């Protein structure tokens, strides 16, 4: 993929997510590569997140104390993030299939990988803005969060071939509920491990 292709796909993702999803799925990348890409994006996103925290530490000690232990350690956060992304892929795939979706696991995997590329770019931009213009950085996070939901709905709709945004949104809601339960267990295990090693 050339730099021009990358930029074109980036713009297409923002304005026509279903078309971008079809283009990504058509790449037919090997599953092993996709899992490796997801692991790599977990590492890179964790590094940027950790650096951002150190450059812009919170002034509220209560908020810092309430953060789960996994969010204080780059290594633990990487493990947590990869687990969360893997659960995202699996829940979106299984729940979509149970509702009549036709996606392959690889279809969902490549789309989540690409979303993490976009997330990394966003985190880098926000990291700069939070230093130069914090208010603008906060506004960008808010807008990106809303736009990210729109993109994810389009991706799920395209992957499962629903042709129904509401059905795709339903899959996402159910997946979020399932993930909330799963990640709560993961965070509990990590917290116990950290406390036990302290």
């Amino acid at each position: 993929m050339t730099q021009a292709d990358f930029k074109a796909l980036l713009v297409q993702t923002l304005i026509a997510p279903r078309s971008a999803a079809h283009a990504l799925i058509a790449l037919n990348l090997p599953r092993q590569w996709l899992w490796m890409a997801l692991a790599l994006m977990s590492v890179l996103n964790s590094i940027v997140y950790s650096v951002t925290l150190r450059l812009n530490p919170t002034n509220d000690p209560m908020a810092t104390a309430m953060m789960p232990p996994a969010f204080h350690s780059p290594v633990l956060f990487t493990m947590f993030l990869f687990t969360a992304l893997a659960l995202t892929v699996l829940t979106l795939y299984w729940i979509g299939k149970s509702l009549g979706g036709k996606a392959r696991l690889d279809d969902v995997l490549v789309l989540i990988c690409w979303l993490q590329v976009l997330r990394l770019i966003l985190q880098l931009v926000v990291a700069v803005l939070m230093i130069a213009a914090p208010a603008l950085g906060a506004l960008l996070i808010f807008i990106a969060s809303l736009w990210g939901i729109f993109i994810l709905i389009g991706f799920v709709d395209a992957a499962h071939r629903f042709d129904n945004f509401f059905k795709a949104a339903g899959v996402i809601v159910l997946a979020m509920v399932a993930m909330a339960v799963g990640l709560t267990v993961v965070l509990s295990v990590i917290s116990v491990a950290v406390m036990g090693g302290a």
Side-chain angles (χ1 to χ4, degrees):
M1 181 182 291
T2 65
Q3 186 175 2
D5 292 334
F6 181 88
K7 289 180 179 179
L9 184 58
L10 180 60
V11 172
Q12 188 179 34
T13 301
L14 296 176
I15 61 177
R18 291 183 83 256
S19 298
H22 289 308
L24 287 162
I25 291 170
L27 293 174
N28 230 0
L29 297 174
R31 183 177 300 180
Q32 183 179 1
W33 289 11
L34 293 173
W35 282 117
M36 289 174 62
L38 197 67
L40 175 62
M41 296 314 302
S42 299
V43 172
L44 294 178
N45 273 294
S46 297
I47 291 172
V48 175
Y49 170 78
S50 299
V51 171
T52 302
L53 274 186
R54 280 158 179 72
L55 292 176
N56 300 283
T58 178
N59 295 321
D60 185 357
M62 183 68 73
T64 302
M66 290 178 65
M67 289 175 65
F71 286 73
H72 294 284
S73 165
V75 174
L76 290 178
F77 186 74
T78 300
M79 294 169 57
F80 170 77
L81 182 57
F82 179 76
T83 301
L85 292 174
L87 282 174
T88 300
V89 171
L90 296 174
T91 54
L92 289 176
Y93 170 70
W94 285 330
I95 293 173
K97 292 285 281 187
S98 69
L99 294 177
K102 300 176 182 177
R104 301 173 303 161
L105 181 62
D106 296 355
D107 298 341
V108 179
L109 186 52
V110 70
L111 298 179
I112 297 302
C113 283
W114 176 244
L115 283 177
Q116 290 312 298
V117 173
L118 301 186
R119 181 174 183 240
L120 179 62
I121 295 172
L122 175 65
Q123 281 199 104
L124 290 170
V125 173
V126 168
V128 174
L129 287 178
M130 291 305 284
I131 297 174
L136 190 57
L139 178 61
L140 178 59
I141 291 172
F142 176 73
I143 295 173
S145 298
L146 296 179
W147 208 263
I149 294 172
F150 166 71
I151 293 172
L152 182 58
I153 291 174
F155 274 15
V156 171
D157 187 48
H160 282 292
R161 301 160 184 82
F162 285 139
D163 287 325
N164 186 326
F165 268 47
F166 293 104
K167 196 170 186 178
V171 170
I172 293 170
V173 170
L174 292 174
M176 288 175 62
V177 173
M179 283 182 57
V181 175
L183 292 177
T184 298
V185 174
V186 172
L187 282 173
S188 299
V189 171
I190 291 176
S191 298
V192 170
V194 171
M195 292 174 64

